[in-house]
Amino acid sequence: MCKRSTTIRVSPTLDALSHAAAQDLRTHIASILETHDRYALALAGGSTPERLYELLAEDGNLPWTRIHLFWGDERFVPHDHPQSNVRMARRTLIDAAPIPAENVHPIPVKTDGPGAAAKAYAEILQEAFSSQQTTFDTALLGLGADGHTASLFPETDGLLDDYRWVRVVTAPDRHDVPTRISCTLPVLNRSRRAVFLVAGEHKREALRRVVDEKDEFLPATHVRPRGSCDWYVDEAARPSGSP
Ligand code: 6PG
């Protein structure tokens, strides 16, 4: 779990947690941009973030010319594929907000295989962050029912001391798209902070194991950014017995 502070904000519904996370991001973006030229936001995939992205797109006051979008992970499918994380972000956020095209840094998938995609994205991240100790200002992350985050699964080897920036991961059979491109834990942990979005009763056990037990078997437990981990969860996902 995080080196510094961990906060858990429980909302009654996914819509409510999305509003709370949107307000959190507005505040953090404003704060960072007081002393920095750019805000680097790493988007999560899956379905939980969709409502948050819609709310960000509706916000006419966000300084999009100074906000750069990255991804924590991607499925190795074309960006117009139904399972693409870029496709979901375009539908809910990018196509609905005045975000300059040069501020959007998707994980390349039109490459000569997943290894080339990982290499290309690592070069994008190194160009964006190599002169800094910090990578993303906020890494948005989800939590799988198996405790995975980004595309780092309990079965994924070599999670902790990974010298790479980006890696190819084969998702376990229970997941729909096998080949994934993912930021490594060290890159995620060089983020200023991590914001997890977790909703649904099916996430309750994983959330309990990560937040309450700090179960080292689950990759999400090893997300330890430079600053805080802020969890936005709904009532359905909140472990029973937690305050
Ligand atoms: C992905 C995500 C992944 C996701 C979790 C939760 O590419 O699928 O990065 O880590 O955040 O699987 O997904 P849901 O939000 O759909 O439950």
Side-chain angles (χ1 to χ4, degrees):
M1 286 298 290
C2 297
K3 291 173 188 147
R4 306 242 174 93
S5 71
T6 296
T7 60
I8 301 176
R9 294 175 176 80
V10 181
S11 301
T13 63
L14 171 56
D15 185 70
L17 85 81
S18 304
H19 278 83
Q23 185 52 42
D24 169 301
L25 274 176
R26 289 185 194 103
T27 304
H28 193 249
I29 289 168
S31 168
I32 295 299
L33 291 182
E34 284 177 2
T35 53
H36 295 76
D37 295 334
R38 178 193 73 180
Y39 190 90
L41 176 63
L43 299 180
S47 58
T48 304
E50 292 188 21
R51 183 62 183 133
L52 168 61
Y53 297 168
E54 290 170 349
L55 292 170
L56 295 178
E58 293 166 9
D59 184 325
N61 298 316
L62 282 172
W64 288 115
T65 58
R66 299 174 67 195
I67 298 170
H68 285 250
L69 301 179
F70 300 84
W71 275 259
D73 71 315
E74 180 61 283
R75 294 84 179 274
F76 191 66
V77 292
H79 282 158
D80 60 0
H81 186 284
Q83 297 288 353
S84 164
N85 288 338
V86 161
R87 182 176 186 265
M88 182 273 277
R90 280 183 178 150
R91 171 171 52 83
T92 56
L93 174 56
I94 298 166
D95 293 349
I99 306 172
E102 63 271 19
N103 287 23
V104 181
H105 311 277
I107 297 175
V109 291
K110 287 185 177 175
T111 61
D112 184 18
K119 182 174 183 296
Y121 191 52
E123 290 167 0
I124 289 169
L125 295 182
Q126 286 158 3
E127 184 178 346
F129 303 117
S130 61
S131 59
Q132 302 162 221
Q133 286 304 307
T134 304
T135 52
F136 310 117
D137 291 299
T138 290
L140 285 176
L141 292 167
L143 179 69
D146 61 359
H148 82 262
T149 192
S151 283
L152 303 173
F153 300 90
E155 298 87 341
T156 306
D157 62 349
L159 281 182
L160 302 181
D161 52 356
D162 198 333
Y163 65 90
R164 294 165 292 188
W165 284 59
V166 183
R167 65 181 294 174
V168 178
V169 177
T170 299
D173 293 343
R174 61 185 176 276
H175 294 280
D176 41 16
V177 178
T179 307
R180 310 288 185 96
I181 313 296
S182 183
C183 287
T184 58
L185 263 179
V187 166
L188 294 174
N189 287 343
R190 285 174 52 201
S191 297
R192 204 179 296 278
R193 66 170 195 157
V195 171
F196 282 88
L197 308 171
V198 185
E201 188 173 0
H202 63 302
K203 303 291 180 73
R204 180 178 292 179
E205 177 59 9
L207 184 63
R208 185 190 63 76
R209 288 177 61 186
V210 171
V211 173
D212 294 346
E213 287 185 11
K214 298 170 180 51
D215 185 340
E216 300 272 317
F217 180 69
L218 303 186
T221 302
H222 296 288
V223 172
R224 298 187 175 96
R226 294 179 176 283
S228 64
C229 277
D230 300 310
W231 294 77
Y232 287 85
V233 308
D234 70 355
E235 276 291 350
R238 176 167 71 166
S240 51
S242 64

